[in-house]
Amino acid sequence: MKLNIAVLPGDGIGPEIIGQALRVTEAVCEKFGHELSYEYAIVGASAIDEVGNPYPDSTHELCMSADAVLFGAIGDPKYDNDPSAKVRPEQGLLAMRKKLGLFANIRPVTTFPSLIHKSPLRAELIEDADFMCIRELTGGMYFGRPQGRSEDGNTAYDTCVYTREEVERILHLSYKYAQLRRKKVTVVDKANVLATSRLWRQVAQEIEKQYPDVETEYMFVDNAAMQIIQWPKRFDVLVTENLFGDILTDEASVITGSLGMLPSASIGIETSVFEPIHGSYPQAAGKNIANPLATILSAALMFEYAFELKEEGALIRKAVDASMDAGVVTEDISSAGKAFSTSDVGDWIVNFVKK
């Protein structure tokens, strides 16, 4: 099979972790006889520095021509610490989502036996937790207009907007994933307060009738935030709007014991993007200490969702599990006093794949 991917390393530790994920991807393709082609493009702060645009047209054209996009991270302190900056790295991420039609972010939340002790939650609460967060990506407050500040700078405003079509699209996707899992969907909203949430709930109540084999429950976002921590094993597929999803998925990361372990897939109309959920971690850039496992697991999602190559994705997961069981991990999740470098972890997983 021919696999054509766009590679967007981005900022901070992005180039280092993407480098290891790409090496693993190459090893898997070699093992299974796939033909891999890829091309790099700039995005984020590095793109602003080079061309003044965090998501240049050339990058977009490459993504449009690719079968999948492997993406690192965006962000740089010089923009984070400058509220007056007119162009910001994160604008590139939002532009990419909008232009590629990346309407659904899928974040699997699973536990790793060797990391249970790293979670701040009790082991009995999180052992065998396995659920999927599906976050709507192209609507809501991040994209609603008007948005801005008053002339005197003392008033700021954001607008939350959703259309029926956007809500229907993400809900249908969620039910289809639930049918492949444990057949339960939790719709998270704030319908007691927000008009957009009332639209979400109305549409969900209509759509749930089309999936009689799937159990549907409705939960306010504040309650969901509490229950993700108290009873994470009660969830199967959790679907919600953009802002709520952004917050809840980062909260759910503590279940695994490390933000550096969670991959994600952004499913799009034009193509799909696969990326770790952590940030650019600029303090570690160039030090060869960043955890590449979330990015490597994002490559596994790429094989599964973009190319429907389940066996290839399963091999990557097996390799990651084996590396953790062997203690070949970076300093953020090391517990035996021995930490490996980013490239050491990549080497170990590549060698496992090649066996």
Side-chain angles (χ1 to χ4, degrees), residues 14-32:
E16 298 166 68
I17 56 178
I18 280 289
Q20 302 311 315
L22 193 55
R23 292 179 60 219
V24 173
T25 299
E26 290 173 324
V28 170
C29 287
E30 182 179 345
K31 186 179 186 71
F32 287 88

Side-chain angles (χ1 to χ4, degrees), residues 125-153:
L125 291 179
I126 63 173
E127 282 175 336
D128 301 319
D130 176 12
F131 63 96
M132 176 182 287
C133 294
I134 299 184
R135 166 190 169 193
E136 203 288 324
L137 271 187
T138 59
M141 198 173 294
Y142 293 172
F143 293 98
R145 295 295 182 269
Q147 180 186 74
R149 298 178 70 171
S150 60
E151 289 187 10
D152 63 8

Side-chain angles (χ1 to χ4, degrees), residues 44 48 52-55 78-92 94-95 145 147-151 153:
I48 297 174
N53 183 344
Y55 185 60
K78 67 184 177 184
Y79 297 100
D80 296 340
N81 298 325
D82 182 7
S84 65
K86 295 292 189 291
V87 181
R88 312 180 68 83
E90 292 75 17
Q91 292 171 343
L94 295 179
R145 295 295 182 269
Q147 180 186 74
R149 298 178 70 171
S150 60
E151 289 187 10

Side-chain angles (χ1 to χ4, degrees), residues 66-305:
D67 300 318
V69 179
L70 192 59
F71 173 59
I74 273 182
D76 189 287
K78 67 184 177 184
Y79 297 100
D80 296 340
N81 298 325
D82 182 7
S84 65
K86 295 292 189 291
V87 181
R88 312 180 68 83
E90 292 75 17
Q91 292 171 343
L93 184 57
L94 295 179
M96 180 166 63
R97 288 172 179 171
K98 200 70 173 180
K99 290 184 177 182
L100 294 178
L102 302 175
F103 67 91
N105 182 244
I106 299 172
R107 296 188 180 184
V109 179
T110 57
T111 54
F112 301 87
S114 61
L115 279 187
I116 293 290
H117 69 287
K118 288 282 188 179
S119 174
L121 304 180
R122 297 197 310 273
E124 63 268 24
L125 291 179
I126 63 173
E127 282 175 336
D128 301 319
D130 176 12
F131 63 96
M132 176 182 287
C133 294
I134 299 184
R135 166 190 169 193
E136 203 288 324
L137 271 187
T138 59
M141 198 173 294
Y142 293 172
F143 293 98
R145 295 295 182 269
Q147 180 186 74
R149 298 178 70 171
S150 60
E151 289 187 10
D152 63 8
N154 294 325
T155 301
Y157 47 91
D158 298 283
T159 306
C160 187
V161 179
Y162 267 106
T163 66
R164 170 178 284 272
E165 179 184 7
E166 289 171 326
V167 179
E168 288 178 342
R169 181 172 60 185
I170 194 77
L171 286 170
H172 281 299
L173 184 72
S174 301
Y175 277 101
K176 288 172 182 174
Y177 277 118
Q179 287 178 321
L180 300 173
R181 292 173 51 89
R182 299 192 304 277
K183 295 182 169 58
K184 181 180 178 182
V185 168
T186 303
V187 180
V188 176
D189 60 30
K190 193 64 176 173
N192 57 335
V193 175
L194 301 177
T196 47
S197 281
R198 286 191 284 275
L199 174 65
W200 270 75
R201 187 164 294 209
Q202 175 190 340
V203 173
Q205 288 173 343
E206 295 168 4
I207 286 178
E208 71 168 295
K209 298 181 179 66
Q210 301 175 35
Y211 301 91
D213 58 325
V214 178
E215 176 190 353
T216 303
E217 70 172 350
Y218 297 88
M219 192 174 292
F220 293 147
V221 62
D222 42 355
N223 186 23
M226 177 185 69
Q227 297 211 32
I228 283 174
I229 296 301
Q230 289 185 311
W231 301 289
K233 288 185 277 192
R234 75 179 302 282
F235 295 104
D236 179 23
V237 173
L238 185 153
V239 58
T240 190
E241 62 96 51
N242 207 342
L243 177 60
F244 296 162
D246 192 358
I247 297 167
L248 292 179
T249 50
D250 276 10
E251 179 198 15
S253 70
V254 304
I255 294 169
T256 69
S258 171
L259 193 65
M261 293 302 303
L262 290 182
S264 77
S266 295
I267 305 301
I269 298 169
E270 304 294 346
T271 188
S272 295
V273 176
F274 301 87
E275 60 177 304
I277 77 164
H278 59 69
S280 61
Y281 191 17
Q283 302 91 331
K287 296 181 180 179
N288 200 25
I289 61 173
N291 186 348
L293 293 182
T295 317
I296 291 170
L297 288 169
S298 295
L301 289 180
M302 179 179 70
F303 277 104
E304 294 164 345
Y305 289 119

